[in-house]
Amino acid sequence: EKIVFEKESMVSESLAEIQTKVVTSSKEIPIAYRVILKGGAWKVYDVVIENVSLVLNYRTQFNDILAKNTPEQLLEILRKKVKAQ
C-alpha cells in the first residue's frame, strides 16, 4: 500500500484538515486527518475514513448508551473495555 498526501486546508488559525488516500492494487481509500494546533504542535483530533468520522461514530455510540444509562455507567462500560484489551 502507498499513502498519498493530496492537500491541506486551513479551517482556522488552529484547525486544519489533511486529505490523504491509501492506494492499494485494487482500490483507493480516502482518509482525512483533522488536526488542531495545541502547545505549538499539531495534534490529530479526528480521522475521517471513507466519509465516516471516528469522533461522530463514538459520539453516536455514547449518546445511545446515555439514553439508557447514567454518565457513571458509561464510564464504567468504557473502563471495562479498556481493561479487556
Side-chain angles (χ1 to χ4, degrees), residues 20-82:
T20 68
K21 63 182 170 184
V22 176
V23 180
T24 69
S25 59
S26 60
K27 63 181 173 177
E28 294 181 356
I29 303 163
I31 301 175
Y33 298 91
R34 294 179 176 162
V35 295
I36 186 168
L37 183 61
K38 280 201 167 193
W42 289 98
K43 312 271 184 178
V44 175
Y45 71 88
D46 193 10
V47 179
V48 180
I49 303 170
E50 292 188 322
N51 295 318
V52 177
S53 163
L54 292 181
V55 167
L56 290 178
N57 187 18
Y58 280 120
R59 185 176 295 151
T60 300
Q61 291 178 46
F62 293 164
N63 285 338
D64 290 346
I65 293 169
L66 288 170
K68 302 171 195 151
N69 301 285
T70 66
E72 291 77 22
Q73 289 170 316
L74 169 63
L75 291 173
E76 187 58 33
I77 291 167
L78 293 173
R79 287 185 190 104
K80 286 179 183 175
K81 287 187 179 196
V82 169

